[in-house]
Amino acid sequence: QLTMSLNSSTLLNEEKAQGAQRNTEGLESLLQTPSSIQDNPLQQLQLASQEVLEKAKKSGRSKCPRCNSSRMFYCYTCFVPVETVPTKEIPTVKLPLKIDIIKHPNEIDGKSTAVHAKLLAPDDVTIYKYPCIPEYEEKRHEIALIFPGPNSVSVKDIAFHLQKYTKKGVCSSDDDCSREPVLKQAKIEPEAEKNPNECISSSRSEGTGLKKIIFIDSTWNQTNKIITDERLQGLLQIELKTRKTCFWRHQKGKPDTYLSTIEAIYYFLVDYHQEILKESYKGQYDNLLFFFSFMYTLIKDAKCCAGKE
Protein backbone atom coordinates (compact mmCIF):
# COMPACT_ATOMS: atom_id res chain seq x y z
CA GLN A 1 0.00 0.00 0.00
CA LEU A 2 1.22 3.45 -0.70
CA THR A 3 0.45 6.85 0.70
CA MET A 4 1.92 9.45 -1.62
CA SER A 5 4.44 12.17 -0.87
CA LEU A 6 5.01 14.19 -4.02
CA ASN A 7 4.42 17.50 -5.68
CA SER A 8 1.06 18.35 -7.23
CA SER A 9 2.53 18.40 -10.73
CA THR A 10 3.83 14.89 -10.25
CA LEU A 11 0.42 13.85 -9.01
CA LEU A 12 -1.35 15.05 -12.14
CA ASN A 13 1.09 13.22 -14.37
CA GLU A 14 0.90 10.02 -12.38
CA GLU A 15 -2.89 9.95 -12.43
CA LYS A 16 -2.65 9.15 -16.13
CA ALA A 17 -0.11 6.40 -15.73
CA GLN A 18 -1.03 2.73 -15.67
CA GLY A 19 0.07 1.01 -12.45
CA ALA A 20 1.96 -2.22 -12.34
CA GLN A 21 1.41 -5.07 -9.95
CA ARG A 22 3.30 -4.83 -6.71
CA ASN A 23 6.16 -7.06 -5.82
CA THR A 24 4.53 -10.02 -4.11
CA GLU A 25 7.71 -11.38 -2.66
CA GLY A 26 6.83 -13.06 0.65
CA LEU A 27 8.52 -12.10 3.88
CA GLU A 28 8.38 -15.52 5.46
CA SER A 29 10.81 -17.10 2.98
CA LEU A 30 13.40 -14.51 3.97
CA LEU A 31 13.29 -14.90 7.73
CA GLN A 32 16.21 -17.28 8.10
CA THR A 33 18.74 -14.84 6.64
CA PRO A 34 21.26 -13.01 8.82
CA SER A 35 20.36 -9.55 10.05
CA SER A 36 22.54 -6.51 9.47
CA ILE A 37 22.06 -2.78 9.54
CA GLN A 38 24.96 -2.03 7.24
CA ASP A 39 23.91 0.54 4.64
CA ASN A 40 20.47 0.69 6.23
CA PRO A 41 19.02 4.21 5.79
CA LEU A 42 16.84 3.58 8.84
CA GLN A 43 19.75 2.75 11.12
CA GLN A 44 19.80 6.20 12.75
CA LEU A 45 16.35 5.69 14.27
CA GLN A 46 16.10 5.63 18.05
CA LEU A 47 14.27 2.35 18.45
CA ALA A 48 13.38 0.09 21.33
CA SER A 49 15.25 -3.23 21.46
CA GLN A 50 14.22 -5.50 18.60
CA GLU A 51 15.50 -8.59 20.37
CA VAL A 52 11.93 -9.83 20.77
CA LEU A 53 11.56 -9.81 16.97
CA GLU A 54 14.86 -11.60 16.52
CA LYS A 55 13.65 -14.37 18.83
CA ALA A 56 10.31 -14.58 17.06
CA LYS A 57 12.07 -14.82 13.70
CA LYS A 58 14.05 -17.84 14.89
CA SER A 59 11.02 -19.61 16.33
CA GLY A 60 8.92 -19.06 13.21
CA ARG A 61 5.19 -18.55 12.89
CA SER A 62 3.01 -18.43 15.98
CA LYS A 63 -0.67 -18.22 16.85
CA CYS A 64 -2.71 -15.05 17.17
CA PRO A 65 -4.06 -14.98 20.75
CA ARG A 66 -7.46 -13.84 19.46
CA CYS A 67 -8.24 -15.72 16.24
CA ASN A 68 -5.64 -18.54 16.53
CA SER A 69 -4.42 -17.87 12.98
CA SER A 70 -0.80 -18.68 12.23
CA ARG A 71 1.15 -15.45 11.76
CA MET A 72 4.67 -14.00 11.88
CA PHE A 73 5.26 -11.25 14.47
CA TYR A 74 1.66 -9.96 14.56
CA CYS A 75 -1.87 -10.67 13.38
CA TYR A 76 -2.80 -8.23 10.64
CA THR A 77 -6.52 -8.85 11.08
CA CYS A 78 -6.76 -8.60 14.88
CA PHE A 79 -4.04 -5.94 15.25
CA VAL A 80 -2.23 -7.77 18.07
CA PRO A 81 1.21 -9.40 18.42
CA VAL A 82 1.39 -13.20 18.17
CA GLU A 83 2.05 -15.40 21.18
CA THR A 84 5.85 -15.36 20.71
CA VAL A 85 5.91 -11.54 20.78
CA PRO A 86 4.81 -10.42 24.28
CA THR A 87 2.87 -7.15 24.15
CA LYS A 88 4.94 -5.76 27.04
CA GLU A 89 8.05 -6.00 24.86
CA ILE A 90 6.51 -3.95 22.05
CA PRO A 91 7.04 -0.18 22.35
CA THR A 92 4.03 2.13 22.65
CA VAL A 93 4.06 5.54 20.99
CA LYS A 94 1.94 8.43 22.22
CA LEU A 95 0.86 10.65 19.33
CA PRO A 96 -0.02 14.37 19.51
CA LEU A 97 -3.05 13.79 17.23
CA LYS A 98 -5.61 11.09 16.54
CA ILE A 99 -5.16 9.21 13.28
CA ASP A 100 -7.80 7.55 11.09
CA ILE A 101 -6.59 5.15 8.41
CA ILE A 102 -9.02 4.33 5.59
CA LYS A 103 -8.14 1.03 3.92
CA HIS A 104 -9.26 0.20 0.42
CA PRO A 105 -11.37 -3.02 0.50
CA ASN A 106 -9.06 -4.68 -2.04
CA GLU A 107 -5.92 -3.87 -0.11
CA ILE A 108 -4.38 -7.12 1.09
CA ASP A 109 -4.17 -7.05 4.89
CA GLY A 110 -0.91 -8.97 5.05
CA LYS A 111 0.85 -6.48 2.79
CA SER A 112 -0.31 -3.33 4.54
CA THR A 113 1.90 -1.37 6.92
CA ALA A 114 -1.14 0.41 8.37
CA VAL A 115 -1.38 -2.28 11.03
CA HIS A 116 2.03 -1.16 12.36
CA ALA A 117 0.50 2.15 13.42
CA LYS A 118 -2.35 0.42 15.26
CA LEU A 119 0.04 -1.98 16.99
CA LEU A 120 2.43 0.72 18.14
CA ALA A 121 0.00 3.58 18.88
CA PRO A 122 -3.18 1.67 19.80
CA ASP A 123 -4.77 4.54 21.74
CA ASP A 124 -4.43 7.05 18.91
CA VAL A 125 -4.98 5.07 15.70
CA THR A 126 -8.22 3.70 14.22
CA ILE A 127 -8.40 1.66 11.01
CA TYR A 128 -11.54 1.68 8.86
CA LYS A 129 -12.23 -0.48 5.81
CA TYR A 130 -13.86 1.53 3.04
CA PRO A 131 -16.77 2.22 2.52
CA CYS A 132 -17.42 1.98 6.28
CA ILE A 133 -15.92 5.32 7.33
CA PRO A 134 -17.09 8.10 9.68
CA GLU A 135 -18.93 11.26 8.75
CA TYR A 136 -16.39 14.08 9.01
CA GLU A 137 -18.43 17.09 7.90
CA GLU A 138 -19.27 18.42 11.36
CA LYS A 139 -15.62 18.37 12.41
CA ARG A 140 -13.94 19.73 9.29
CA HIS A 141 -12.51 22.56 11.39
CA GLU A 142 -10.25 20.12 13.26
CA ILE A 143 -9.46 17.42 10.68
CA ALA A 144 -7.03 17.22 7.76
CA LEU A 145 -6.45 14.63 5.04
CA ILE A 146 -2.99 13.63 3.88
CA PHE A 147 -3.28 13.66 0.11
CA PRO A 148 -1.35 15.57 -2.58
CA GLY A 149 -3.31 17.70 -4.99
CA PRO A 150 -3.75 21.16 -6.51
CA ASN A 151 -5.26 22.55 -3.30
CA SER A 152 -3.01 20.79 -0.80
CA VAL A 153 -1.07 22.88 1.71
CA SER A 154 2.15 22.24 3.61
CA VAL A 155 2.25 21.13 7.24
CA LYS A 156 3.52 24.50 8.40
CA ASP A 157 0.43 26.22 6.94
CA ILE A 158 -2.15 23.99 8.67
CA ALA A 159 -3.14 26.50 11.38
CA PHE A 160 -3.61 29.35 8.89
CA HIS A 161 -5.87 27.34 6.60
CA LEU A 162 -7.92 25.78 9.40
CA GLN A 163 -8.94 29.31 10.37
CA LYS A 164 -11.18 29.25 7.30
CA TYR A 165 -13.25 26.44 8.76
CA THR A 166 -16.00 26.72 11.36
CA LYS A 167 -17.90 24.10 13.29
CA LYS A 168 -20.71 24.39 10.75
CA GLY A 169 -18.49 24.14 7.69
CA VAL A 170 -16.31 26.33 5.54
CA CYS A 171 -16.59 30.12 5.76
CA SER A 172 -18.15 31.70 2.69
CA SER A 173 -15.68 34.56 2.68
CA ASP A 174 -11.94 34.08 2.95
CA ASP A 175 -11.61 37.68 4.08
CA ASP A 176 -13.94 37.13 7.01
CA CYS A 177 -12.14 33.94 7.95
CA SER A 178 -8.59 35.23 7.86
CA ARG A 179 -9.09 38.79 9.11
CA GLU A 180 -8.50 38.01 12.77
CA PRO A 181 -6.80 34.77 13.86
CA VAL A 182 -8.68 33.37 16.82
CA LEU A 183 -6.58 30.30 17.57
CA LYS A 184 -4.93 30.50 20.98
CA GLN A 185 -2.52 28.28 22.84
CA ALA A 186 -4.35 26.18 25.40
CA LYS A 187 -3.15 26.72 28.95
CA ILE A 188 -1.91 23.96 31.19
CA GLU A 189 -3.23 24.47 34.69
CA PRO A 190 -0.30 24.16 37.12
CA GLU A 191 -2.38 22.47 39.78
CA ALA A 192 -3.67 19.76 37.45
CA GLU A 193 -2.17 16.36 38.18
CA LYS A 194 -1.90 14.98 34.66
CA ASN A 195 0.58 13.07 32.59
CA PRO A 196 3.03 15.76 31.34
CA ASN A 197 3.19 14.24 27.86
CA GLU A 198 -0.59 14.25 27.54
CA CYS A 199 -0.76 17.87 28.70
CA ILE A 200 1.83 18.97 26.19
CA SER A 201 0.37 17.15 23.21
CA SER A 202 -3.20 18.18 23.91
CA SER A 203 -2.35 21.84 24.48
CA ARG A 204 -0.21 22.11 21.37
CA SER A 205 -2.79 20.44 19.14
CA GLU A 206 -5.44 22.80 20.52
CA GLY A 207 -3.17 25.65 19.52
CA THR A 208 -3.42 24.70 15.84
CA GLY A 209 -7.06 23.65 15.93
CA LEU A 210 -6.03 20.30 14.43
CA LYS A 211 -7.11 17.17 16.27
CA LYS A 212 -7.20 14.38 13.70
CA ILE A 213 -5.35 13.35 10.54
CA ILE A 214 -6.72 10.96 7.91
CA PHE A 215 -4.53 8.66 5.79
CA ILE A 216 -5.64 6.54 2.83
CA ASP A 217 -4.18 3.03 2.76
CA SER A 218 -4.21 1.71 -0.79
CA THR A 219 -2.24 1.44 -3.98
CA TRP A 220 -2.10 4.61 -6.03
CA ASN A 221 -4.45 3.21 -8.67
CA GLN A 222 -7.07 2.48 -6.01
CA THR A 223 -7.13 5.88 -4.35
CA ASN A 224 -9.57 7.62 -6.70
CA LYS A 225 -12.60 5.76 -5.38
CA ILE A 226 -11.84 6.82 -1.81
CA ILE A 227 -10.62 10.38 -2.34
CA THR A 228 -13.74 11.25 -4.34
CA ASP A 229 -16.09 9.99 -1.61
CA GLU A 230 -18.47 12.79 -0.60
CA ARG A 231 -17.63 12.25 3.08
CA LEU A 232 -14.07 13.39 2.45
CA GLN A 233 -14.96 16.44 0.37
CA GLY A 234 -14.19 19.84 1.86
CA LEU A 235 -11.49 18.55 4.18
CA LEU A 236 -8.20 20.42 4.34
CA GLN A 237 -5.63 18.44 2.33
CA ILE A 238 -2.00 18.27 3.41
CA GLU A 239 0.98 17.55 1.18
CA LEU A 240 4.08 16.05 2.77
CA LYS A 241 7.62 17.06 2.07
CA THR A 242 9.19 14.93 -0.65
CA ARG A 243 10.96 11.94 0.85
CA LYS A 244 12.11 8.62 -0.60
CA THR A 245 10.49 5.37 0.43
CA CYS A 246 12.29 2.36 1.86
CA PHE A 247 9.28 0.12 1.26
CA TRP A 248 10.24 -3.27 -0.19
CA ARG A 249 6.91 -3.64 -2.05
CA HIS A 250 7.25 -0.37 -3.92
CA GLN A 251 5.06 -0.21 -7.00
CA LYS A 252 6.97 -0.67 -10.23
CA GLY A 253 6.86 2.35 -12.48
CA LYS A 254 6.04 4.73 -9.62
CA PRO A 255 8.33 7.43 -8.17
CA ASP A 256 10.31 6.53 -5.07
CA THR A 257 8.56 9.44 -3.35
CA TYR A 258 5.46 7.26 -2.93
CA LEU A 259 5.58 6.28 0.72
CA SER A 260 4.14 3.29 2.52
CA THR A 261 1.39 4.25 4.97
CA ILE A 262 3.52 3.87 8.09
CA GLU A 263 6.28 5.98 6.52
CA ALA A 264 3.78 8.72 5.64
CA ILE A 265 2.43 8.74 9.20
CA TYR A 266 5.93 8.89 10.65
CA TYR A 267 7.18 11.69 8.39
CA PHE A 268 4.02 13.73 8.90
CA LEU A 269 4.46 13.55 12.68
CA VAL A 270 8.11 14.56 12.44
CA ASP A 271 7.13 17.60 10.35
CA TYR A 272 4.25 18.40 12.70
CA HIS A 273 6.54 18.19 15.72
CA GLN A 274 9.08 20.56 14.21
CA GLU A 275 6.87 23.00 12.31
CA ILE A 276 3.74 23.16 14.46
CA LEU A 277 4.89 22.21 17.96
CA LYS A 278 8.10 24.15 17.28
CA GLU A 279 10.29 21.62 19.06
CA SER A 280 13.50 19.92 18.02
CA TYR A 281 12.87 16.34 17.02
CA LYS A 282 14.59 13.80 19.26
CA GLY A 283 13.15 10.52 18.07
CA GLN A 284 9.77 10.75 19.81
CA TYR A 285 7.97 8.87 17.01
CA ASP A 286 10.81 6.66 15.75
CA ASN A 287 9.26 3.53 17.25
CA LEU A 288 6.42 3.80 14.74
CA LEU A 289 8.98 2.19 12.41
CA PHE A 290 9.77 -0.58 14.91
CA PHE A 291 8.39 -3.38 12.71
CA PHE A 292 9.04 -1.62 9.41
CA SER A 293 12.78 -1.15 10.00
CA PHE A 294 13.19 -4.74 11.16
CA MET A 295 11.48 -6.12 8.07
CA TYR A 296 13.40 -3.76 5.83
CA THR A 297 16.70 -5.12 7.17
CA LEU A 298 15.58 -8.74 6.79
CA ILE A 299 14.60 -8.28 3.18
CA LYS A 300 17.62 -6.16 2.25
CA ASP A 301 19.96 -8.80 3.68
CA ALA A 302 18.09 -11.59 1.92
CA LYS A 303 18.39 -9.81 -1.42
CA CYS A 304 22.10 -9.25 -0.85
CA CYS A 305 22.61 -12.93 -0.05
CA ALA A 306 20.70 -13.90 -3.18
CA GLY A 307 22.93 -11.66 -5.29
CA LYS A 308 20.11 -9.32 -6.30
CA GLU A 309 21.98 -6.18 -5.29
Side-chain angles (χ1 to χ4, degrees), residues 166-198:
T166 69
K167 292 184 178 180
K168 293 183 180 180
V170 182
C171 290
S172 58
S173 168
D174 286 348
D175 292 336
D176 291 340
C177 290
S178 59
R179 180 185 301 134
E180 196 63 39
V182 295
L183 300 176
K184 295 182 179 180
Q185 187 79 7
K187 295 181 179 179
I188 302 176
E189 298 297 332
E191 67 273 15
E193 293 294 331
K194 296 182 179 179
N195 183 310
N197 292 331
E198 292 181 357

Side-chain angles (χ1 to χ4, degrees), residues 95-98 139 141-143 158-160 162-163 165 167 181-189 194 197-213 272 276-279:
L95 307 184
L97 300 163
K98 297 298 182 181
K139 295 187 176 181
H141 59 290
E142 58 187 33
I143 297 175
I158 289 176
F160 172 78
L162 278 181
Q163 292 177 33
Y165 291 73
K167 292 184 178 180
V182 295
L183 300 176
K184 295 182 179 180
Q185 187 79 7
K187 295 181 179 179
I188 302 176
E189 298 297 332
K194 296 182 179 179
N197 292 331
E198 292 181 357
C199 291
I200 292 173
S201 63
S202 64
S203 67
R204 295 307 176 38
S205 61
E206 286 291 334
T208 66
L210 185 65
K211 293 184 179 179
K212 180 176 289 186
I213 290 290
Y272 181 86
I276 300 298
L277 303 189
K278 301 297 183 182
E279 294 183 4

Side-chain angles (χ1 to χ4, degrees), residues 60-64 69-77 82:
R61 296 166 69 91
S62 180
K63 286 185 178 182
C64 168
S69 297
S70 178
R71 301 280 191 255
M72 182 63 71
F73 302 131
Y74 56 80
C75 179
Y76 44 75
T77 52
V82 295

Side-chain angles (χ1 to χ4, degrees), residues 25-257:
E25 182 178 17
L27 172 65
E28 292 165 26
S29 63
L30 306 175
L31 294 178
Q32 302 306 315
T33 59
S35 177
S36 168
I37 61 172
Q38 184 177 6
D39 298 325
N40 183 347
L42 304 175
Q43 64 182 325
Q44 299 302 320
L45 296 173
Q46 299 181 42
L47 300 173
S49 171
Q50 294 177 320
E51 183 179 358
V52 62
L53 300 182
E54 289 285 358
K55 292 179 179 179
K57 180 188 71 171
K58 294 177 181 178
S59 61
R61 296 166 69 91
S62 180
K63 286 185 178 182
C64 168
R66 294 187 182 176
C67 68
N68 290 321
S69 297
S70 178
R71 301 280 191 255
M72 182 63 71
F73 302 131
Y74 56 80
C75 179
Y76 44 75
T77 52
C78 299
F79 308 141
V80 294
V82 295
E83 292 178 347
T84 55
V85 181
T87 302
K88 64 180 180 180
E89 295 187 41
I90 299 299
T92 300
V93 184
K94 178 62 181 175
L95 307 184
L97 300 163
K98 297 298 182 181
I99 289 178
D100 282 1
I101 300 174
I102 301 175
K103 278 176 56 66
H104 191 281
N106 294 337
E107 182 66 15
I108 301 174
D109 291 339
K111 294 182 178 180
S112 171
T113 62
V115 63
H116 297 181
K118 183 62 178 176
L119 284 162
L120 298 164
D123 295 335
D124 298 316
V125 175
T126 304
I127 298 178
Y128 298 95
K129 181 166 287 190
Y130 187 83
C132 299
I133 66 175
E135 295 285 349
Y136 293 110
E137 183 176 2
E138 294 300 316
K139 295 187 176 181
R140 284 189 294 175
H141 59 290
E142 58 187 33
I143 297 175
L145 171 66
I146 302 299
F147 196 82
N151 299 318
S152 297
V153 304
S154 64
V155 172
K156 64 183 177 61
D157 293 328
I158 289 176
F160 172 78
H161 287 278
L162 278 181
Q163 292 177 33
K164 302 176 183 179
Y165 291 73
T166 69
K167 292 184 178 180
K168 293 183 180 180
V170 182
C171 290
S172 58
S173 168
D174 286 348
D175 292 336
D176 291 340
C177 290
S178 59
R179 180 185 301 134
E180 196 63 39
V182 295
L183 300 176
K184 295 182 179 180
Q185 187 79 7
K187 295 181 179 179
I188 302 176
E189 298 297 332
E191 67 273 15
E193 293 294 331
K194 296 182 179 179
N195 183 310
N197 292 331
E198 292 181 357
C199 291
I200 292 173
S201 63
S202 64
S203 67
R204 295 307 176 38
S205 61
E206 286 291 334
T208 66
L210 185 65
K211 293 184 179 179
K212 180 176 289 186
I213 290 290
I214 302 171
F215 291 83
I216 296 176
D217 183 56
S218 75
T219 60
W220 174 242
N221 294 326
Q222 295 172 339
T223 58
N224 188 61
K225 182 176 181 180
I226 297 178
I227 196 62
T228 56
D229 189 287
E230 61 180 7
R231 290 167 290 183
L232 299 181
Q233 302 311 300
L235 292 177
L236 179 65
Q237 292 188 9
I238 307 300
E239 184 173 308
L240 300 181
K241 291 180 179 177
T242 300
R243 292 184 172 93
K244 293 184 178 181
T245 184
C246 291
F247 194 35
W248 50 91
R249 291 195 179 98
H250 181 66
Q251 293 181 25
K252 292 181 180 179
K254 301 299 183 183
D256 58 6
T257 51

Side-chain angles (χ1 to χ4, degrees), residues 99 101 117 215 260-270 288:
I99 289 178
I101 300 174
F215 291 83
S260 67
T261 298
I262 193 63
E263 288 176 299
I265 292 172
Y266 170 74
Y267 285 123
F268 167 79
L269 289 170
V270 172
L288 285 175

Side-chain angles (χ1 to χ4, degrees), residues 269-303:
L269 289 170
V270 172
D271 290 347
Y272 181 86
H273 192 86
Q274 295 174 321
E275 299 182 16
I276 300 298
L277 303 189
K278 301 297 183 182
E279 294 183 4
S280 59
Y281 183 70
K282 298 180 180 179
Q284 290 89 335
Y285 313 118
D286 282 10
N287 275 322
L288 285 175
L289 299 178
F290 180 76
F291 291 105
F292 184 89
S293 63
F294 187 79
M295 293 177 178
Y296 171 87
T297 300
L298 284 179
I299 292 173
K300 180 179 175 60
D301 289 348
K303 286 182 177 180

